[in-house]
Amino acid sequence: MPDSVQAMASMEAPVGAWSRVAQALSHPIRVVVVAFLAAILAGTALLMTPLAAASGDETGIVTALFTATSAVCVTGLVLVDTGTYWSGFGQGVILLLIQIGGLGIMTLASVLAVMIGRRIGVRASLLSGAEARRGHGAGMSARDIVVGVVRTSLLFEAVLALVLILRFSLSYDEPPARAAYLGVFHAVSAFNNAGFALWADNLERFALDPVVSLVIAGAIICGGLGFPVLWELRREWRRPRDWSLHTRITMTATVAILVVSTVVITLAEWGNDATIGSFPTPGKLLAGFFHAVNTRTAGFNSVPIGDLRSESLLASDLFMFIGAGSAGTAGGIKVTTFVLMGYIMWAELRGERHVIASRRTVPADVQRQALTVAFFAVTAIIVSTWVLLATSAFSLDVVLFEVVSAFGTVGLSTGITASLPTHGQLLLTVLMFVGRLGPLTVGASLALRTRPRRFEYPEERTIVG
């Protein structure tokens, strides 16, 4: 072969490889997954450096990878104490990863697309809108979506940080610089539903402080509603009848689940002196409400989770599995998925051909997506729980709690995370990643891949039940 031909072949090979990579990444689902992986790997590398640890030593890859995944996936599970193990640089890396994970990697990808003047396709726009929590921003450009998301996030975080700074400074005599640092860190962690705290006991020292507890609880609720709901409430908050079906379901389910979970947790722990039993009645209600809010996928705790009664752990498992609003910072299968399954069951029990929700017919493909997401979540939790039970000495209730917390990107823990074997910690790492991206990518891929069939097979019924 002539030298010129060999040279051309050698040049075409890498070009062809890069083109295949570009084609693979052109699909929005792959972009989301790759972007999250890139952020996690970059965070892992930074946290492994001696600068990241307070001791000045290098951090092991498992601890760094676990922490970076927990931060990017806004979970909050930790293997080491955030406030004492990590240096200021390490804590800054964690805070940055939380912010990146909260805003959504697809949002940052949309920023890059706008900066280089590229128009993203309809499918990419829809997915970036979902990940950026602006799913109802039809007709908006990528730039409008990104600017709206960033502006709203920073506004919420700034207000929350200001309130916390004043509280830490005036009521706890923290120096101004320390109060500012604590306020900003916990405001970002709370709004993004991350649950990272800078105290070894998380927020147990503030269990009876209504300002800290309610401010952080409010931030968690707002971040968990999702930006489609926040933006619609801003425009239509006076006219609930004009709300979209998504907003109606999210708001109604959020209020209902918060009330039920608060009552269930408070009653279950009322006489438990290891948690809220010794608190005065207002303190019991406050701590019960705070825990109920955090089971919606934030990881803060104002009572020791390991001392909760078994019935409280089981109830928390259910609430963590459900999660909060779609297209928000929360995890779980989302309240819309849970409520839609309820509507599907109700329609089937009544023998109705169509699923009706708030005088709206739910399309069949949306029903299938809800069932698929729920089945995907149940399968992941059951398999992971079985693996940990088979390879560790912990009981079912604490293992199940840990697995659901990881998959739901909640971050609450009974205290067994650091005691799990290495493969168990790696399994939770994978579970956090799958729990953060799984429902999103499964739901989005199902919606994007919907296509009509040009023929139908004969029907045949099977026996059900």
Side-chain angles (χ1 to χ4, degrees):
M1 181 181 294
D3 293 342
S4 59
V5 176
Q6 288 182 338
M8 291 179 63
S10 62
M11 291 178 62
E12 288 176 357
V15 172
W18 279 113
S19 65
R20 288 193 294 272
V21 172
Q23 184 178 5
L25 294 180
S26 63
H27 195 287
I29 302 297
R30 299 189 185 101
V31 172
V32 172
V33 174
V34 171
F36 266 82
L37 280 174
I40 289 171
L41 293 177
T44 301
L46 290 173
L47 292 177
M48 289 179 66
T49 62
L51 287 175
S55 63
D57 300 324
E58 291 186 359
T59 299
I61 186 171
V62 174
T63 299
L65 176 62
F66 190 97
T67 305
T69 305
S70 182
V72 173
C73 296
V74 289
T75 303
L77 286 176
V78 295
L79 297 180
V80 294
D81 179 56
T82 305
T84 57
Y85 181 87
W86 300 109
S87 64
F89 173 78
Q91 294 171 9
V93 171
I94 292 173
L95 190 64
L96 177 61
L97 295 177
I98 292 172
Q99 188 73 80
I100 291 174
L103 290 175
I105 299 298
M106 265 307 292
T107 304
L108 303 182
S110 298
V111 170
L112 295 177
V114 171
M115 288 176 60
I116 63 178
R118 248 171 41 189
R119 296 178 61 187
I120 49 181
V122 174
R123 291 185 175 185
S125 297
L126 288 175
L127 184 60
S128 64
E131 177 60 18
R133 295 156 284 177
R134 278 299 307 265
H136 291 293
M140 296 182 66
S141 67
R143 185 178 186 280
D144 293 334
I145 292 172
V146 172
V147 170
V149 169
V150 173
R151 181 181 298 168
T152 303
S153 297
L154 294 181
L155 177 61
F156 269 98
E157 291 168 359
V159 173
L160 296 169
L162 178 60
V163 176
L164 291 177
I165 290 170
L166 293 175
R167 187 63 173 178
F168 293 145
S169 177
L170 298 178
S171 300
Y172 295 94
D173 297 325
E174 294 284 358
R178 175 67 175 171
Y181 181 65
L182 292 173
V184 171
F185 187 97
H186 292 91
V188 174
S189 182
F191 182 74
N192 290 288
N193 283 209
F196 280 86
L198 295 178
W199 294 281
D201 62 354
N202 203 277
L203 297 182
E204 291 181 24
R205 64 187 64 196
F206 304 108
L208 299 179
D209 187 330
V211 176
V212 174
S213 296
L214 293 179
V215 166
I216 289 182
I220 294 168
I221 294 172
C222 290
L225 286 176
F227 274 78
V229 175
L230 291 177
W231 280 93
E232 189 167 351
L233 290 178
R234 190 188 70 168
R235 299 190 304 266
E236 307 287 350
W237 68 275
R238 294 183 179 180
R239 297 186 295 274
R241 292 184 179 181
D242 296 334
W243 290 354
S244 65
L245 178 61
H246 174 76
T247 298
R248 291 181 188 179
I249 290 178
T250 301
M251 291 300 296
T252 303
T254 295
V255 173
I257 293 176
L258 280 177
V259 171
V260 171
S261 58
T262 299
V263 171
V264 169
I265 297 299
T266 304
L267 290 180
E269 297 297 317
W270 191 270
N272 185 359
D273 290 337
T275 55
I276 67 174
S278 60
F279 293 173
T281 298
K284 292 179 178 180
L285 296 176
L286 178 63
F289 172 74
F290 189 79
H291 179 74
V293 170
N294 278 273
T295 59
R296 309 299 309 290
T297 76
F300 295 110
N301 63 280
S302 61
V303 295
I305 302 300
D307 292 329
L308 291 176
R309 290 173 171 169
S310 296
E311 54 267 36
S312 298
L313 292 176
L314 181 60
S316 299
D317 290 340
L318 173 61
F319 302 131
M320 291 190 297
F321 177 77
I322 297 173
S326 298
T329 55
I333 64 171
K334 308 299 188 296
V335 292
T336 45
T337 304
F338 180 75
V339 172
L340 283 178
M341 290 193 300
Y343 278 120
I344 293 170
M345 183 182 68
W346 180 245
E348 193 63 31
L349 290 175
R350 298 186 62 179
E352 297 180 351
R353 295 184 58 187
H354 302 288
V355 176
I356 308 299
S358 191
R359 298 185 178 181
R360 296 290 186 272
T361 300
V362 180
D365 59 333
V366 175
Q367 300 173 39
R368 292 194 298 269
Q369 292 163 23
L371 292 173
T372 302
V373 167
F375 184 78
F376 168 82
V378 170
T379 303
I381 289 172
I382 290 177
V383 172
S384 300
T385 301
W386 185 89
V387 171
L388 288 183
L389 284 175
T391 57
S392 69
F394 297 105
S395 60
L396 174 61
D397 54 350
V398 295
V399 169
L400 179 62
F401 187 92
E402 203 81 7
V403 168
V404 176
S405 178
F407 180 85
T409 66
V410 179
L412 294 174
S413 175
T414 57
I416 69 171
T417 313
S419 302
L420 289 172
T422 301
H423 68 270
Q425 296 170 355
L426 292 175
L427 176 60
L428 291 183
T429 303
V430 173
L431 206 57
M432 288 188 287
F433 185 80
V434 172
R436 178 66 177 98
L437 295 182
L440 169 68
T441 55
V442 169
S445 62
L446 290 173
L448 293 174
R449 293 179 62 184
T450 300
R451 48 179 174 261
R453 183 184 293 272
R454 298 185 179 181
F455 60 91
E456 296 291 340
Y457 289 106
E459 288 187 358
E460 183 175 352
R461 291 183 176 274
T462 61
I463 299 175
V464 177

